[in-house]
Coordinates of all heavy atoms in Angstrom, one line a residue:
G1 N 5.2 -15.4 -41.8 CA 5.0 -15.8 -43.1 C 5.9 -17.0 -43.5 O 5.9 -18.1 -42.8
A2 N 6.7 -16.9 -44.5 CA 7.6 -18.0 -44.9 C 8.9 -18.0 -44.1 O 9.7 -18.9 -44.2 CB 7.9 -18.0 -46.4
N3 N 9.2 -16.9 -43.4 CA 10.4 -16.8 -42.6 C 10.3 -17.2 -41.2 O 9.2 -17.2 -40.7 CB 11.0 -15.4 -42.7 CG 11.2 -15.0 -44.2 OD1 11.7 -15.8 -45.0 ND2 10.9 -13.7 -44.5
Q4 N 11.4 -17.4 -40.5 CA 11.3 -17.7 -39.1 C 12.4 -16.9 -38.4 O 13.4 -16.6 -39.0 CB 11.4 -19.2 -38.7 CG 12.7 -19.8 -38.9 CD 12.7 -21.3 -38.5 OE1 11.7 -21.8 -38.4 NE2 13.9 -21.7 -38.2
R5 N 12.2 -16.5 -37.2 CA 13.1 -15.7 -36.4 C 13.3 -16.5 -35.1 O 12.4 -17.0 -34.5 CB 12.5 -14.4 -36.1 CG 13.4 -13.4 -35.2 CD 12.9 -12.0 -35.1 NE 11.5 -11.9 -34.8 CZ 11.1 -11.7 -33.5 NH1 12.0 -11.6 -32.5 NH2 9.9 -11.7 -33.2
V6 N 14.6 -16.6 -34.7 CA 14.9 -17.3 -33.4 C 15.5 -16.4 -32.4 O 16.3 -15.5 -32.7 CB 16.0 -18.4 -33.7 CG1 16.4 -19.2 -32.4 CG2 15.5 -19.4 -34.7
E7 N 14.9 -16.4 -31.2 CA 15.3 -15.6 -30.1 C 15.9 -16.5 -29.0 O 15.2 -17.4 -28.5 CB 14.1 -14.8 -29.6 CG 14.4 -13.9 -28.4 CD 13.1 -13.2 -27.9 OE1 12.3 -13.9 -27.4 OE2 13.0 -12.0 -28.1
N8 N 17.1 -16.3 -28.6 CA 17.7 -17.0 -27.5 C 17.9 -16.1 -26.3 O 18.4 -14.9 -26.3 CB 19.2 -17.5 -27.8 CG 19.1 -18.5 -28.9 OD1 18.4 -19.6 -28.7 ND2 19.8 -18.3 -30.0
I9 N 17.4 -16.6 -25.1 CA 17.4 -15.8 -23.8 C 18.3 -16.5 -22.9 O 18.2 -17.8 -22.6 CB 16.0 -15.7 -23.3 CG1 15.1 -14.9 -24.3 CG2 16.1 -15.0 -21.9 CD1 13.7 -14.8 -23.8
D10 N 19.3 -15.8 -22.3 CA 20.1 -16.3 -21.2 C 20.0 -15.2 -20.1 O 20.8 -14.3 -20.2 CB 21.5 -16.6 -21.6 CG 22.4 -17.3 -20.7 OD1 21.9 -17.5 -19.5 OD2 23.5 -17.6 -21.0
Q11 N 19.2 -15.5 -19.1 CA 18.9 -14.4 -18.1 C 19.2 -14.8 -16.7 O 18.9 -16.0 -16.3 CB 17.4 -14.0 -18.2 CG 17.0 -13.0 -17.3 CD 15.5 -12.7 -17.5 OE1 14.7 -13.6 -18.0 NE2 15.0 -11.6 -17.2
R12 N 19.8 -14.0 -15.9 CA 20.1 -14.3 -14.5 C 19.4 -13.1 -13.7 O 19.6 -12.0 -14.0 CB 21.5 -14.3 -14.2 CG 21.8 -14.6 -12.7 CD 23.3 -14.8 -12.4 NE 23.6 -15.3 -11.2 CZ 23.5 -16.6 -10.8 NH1 23.1 -17.5 -11.7 NH2 23.7 -17.0 -9.6
T13 N 18.7 -13.5 -12.7 CA 17.9 -12.5 -11.8 C 18.3 -12.7 -10.4 O 18.3 -13.9 -9.9 CB 16.4 -12.7 -12.0 OG1 16.0 -12.6 -13.3 CG2 15.7 -11.7 -11.2
T14 N 18.6 -11.6 -9.7 CA 19.0 -11.8 -8.3 C 18.1 -10.7 -7.6 O 17.8 -9.6 -8.1 CB 20.4 -11.4 -7.9 OG1 20.8 -10.2 -8.4 CG2 21.3 -12.5 -8.5
R15 N 17.6 -11.0 -6.4 CA 16.8 -10.2 -5.6 C 17.1 -10.3 -4.2 O 17.2 -11.4 -3.7 CB 15.3 -10.5 -5.8 CG 14.3 -9.6 -5.0 CD 12.9 -9.9 -5.3 NE 12.6 -11.2 -4.6 CZ 11.5 -11.5 -3.9 NH1 10.5 -10.6 -3.9 NH2 11.3 -12.7 -3.3
S16 N 17.3 -9.2 -3.5 CA 17.6 -9.2 -2.1 C 16.7 -8.1 -1.4 O 16.7 -7.0 -1.9 CB 19.1 -8.8 -1.9 OG 19.4 -8.9 -0.5
R17 N 16.1 -8.5 -0.3 CA 15.2 -7.6 0.4 C 15.3 -7.8 1.9 O 15.4 -9.0 2.3 CB 13.8 -7.8 -0.1 CG 12.7 -7.0 0.8 CD 11.3 -7.6 0.6 NE 11.1 -8.9 1.1 CZ 10.6 -9.1 2.4 NH1 10.4 -8.1 3.3 NH2 10.4 -10.4 2.8
Q18 N 15.4 -6.8 2.6 CA 15.4 -6.9 4.0 C 14.5 -5.7 4.6 O 14.7 -4.5 4.1 CB 16.8 -6.8 4.6 CG 16.8 -7.0 6.1 CD 18.2 -7.1 6.7 OE1 19.1 -7.2 6.0 NE2 18.3 -7.1 8.0
G19 N 13.6 -6.0 5.5 CA 12.8 -4.9 6.0 C 12.2 -5.2 7.4 O 12.0 -6.3 7.7
T20 N 11.9 -4.1 8.1 CA 11.1 -4.2 9.3 C 10.0 -3.2 9.2 O 10.1 -2.1 8.7 CB 12.0 -3.8 10.5 OG1 13.1 -4.7 10.5 CG2 11.2 -3.9 11.8
R21 N 8.8 -3.7 9.6 CA 7.6 -2.7 9.6 C 6.9 -2.9 11.0 O 6.8 -4.0 11.5 CB 6.7 -3.3 8.5 CG 5.4 -2.3 8.4 CD 4.5 -3.0 7.3 NE 3.7 -4.0 8.0 CZ 2.6 -4.5 7.4 NH1 2.2 -4.1 6.2 NH2 1.9 -5.4 8.1
W22 N 6.5 -1.8 11.5 CA 5.7 -1.8 12.7 C 4.6 -0.8 12.6 O 4.6 0.2 11.9 CB 6.6 -1.5 13.9 CG 7.2 -0.2 13.9 CD1 8.4 0.1 13.4 CD2 6.7 1.0 14.5 NE1 8.7 1.5 13.5 CE2 7.7 2.0 14.3 CE3 5.5 1.3 15.2 CZ2 7.5 3.3 14.7 CZ3 5.4 2.6 15.6 CH2 6.3 3.6 15.3
E23 N 3.5 -1.2 13.3 CA 2.3 -0.3 13.4 C 1.8 -0.2 14.8 O 2.0 -1.3 15.5 CB 1.2 -0.8 12.5 CG 1.5 -0.8 11.0 CD 0.4 -1.5 10.2 OE1 -0.7 -1.6 10.7 OE2 0.7 -1.8 9.0
A24 N 1.1 0.8 15.2 CA 0.5 0.9 16.5 C -0.8 1.7 16.3 O -0.9 2.6 15.4 CB 1.4 1.7 17.5
G25 N -1.8 1.3 17.0 CA -3.1 2.0 16.9 C -3.8 2.1 18.3 O -3.6 1.2 19.2
L26 N -4.6 3.1 18.5 CA -5.3 3.3 19.8 C -6.7 3.7 19.3 O -6.9 4.5 18.5 CB -4.7 4.4 20.5 CG -5.3 4.6 21.9 CD1 -5.1 3.4 22.8 CD2 -4.6 5.8 22.6
S27 N -7.7 3.0 19.9 CA -9.1 3.3 19.5 C -10.0 3.5 20.7 O -9.9 2.6 21.7 CB -9.6 2.1 18.7 OG -11.0 2.2 18.5
F28 N -10.7 4.5 20.8 CA -11.7 4.8 21.9 C -13.1 4.8 21.3 O -13.4 5.4 20.3 CB -11.4 6.1 22.5 CG -12.4 6.5 23.6 CD1 -12.3 5.9 24.8 CD2 -13.4 7.4 23.4 CE1 -13.3 6.1 25.8 CE2 -14.3 7.7 24.4 CZ -14.2 7.1 25.6
T29 N -14.0 4.0 21.9 CA -15.4 3.9 21.4 C -16.3 4.4 22.5 O -16.2 4.1 23.7 CB -15.7 2.4 21.1 OG1 -14.7 1.9 20.2 CG2 -17.1 2.3 20.5

């Protein structure tokens, strides 16, 4: 309307990932 609202953002994000994945398959036809 006639008013205003101010939003200030100061954000820090950290992400750390470590992984190992393995798969095995055997198929007979």
Side-chain angles (χ1 to χ4, degrees):
N3 301 320
Q4 72 178 20
R5 178 172 54 94
V6 177
E7 178 183 70
N8 291 305
I9 298 173
D10 188 356
Q11 179 182 26
R12 179 172 191 83
T13 303
T14 58
R15 180 180 72 141
S16 182
R17 172 193 69 91
Q18 182 172 356
T20 301
R21 182 183 84 166
W22 61 273
E23 297 175 14
L26 185 64
S27 171
F28 177 75
T29 305

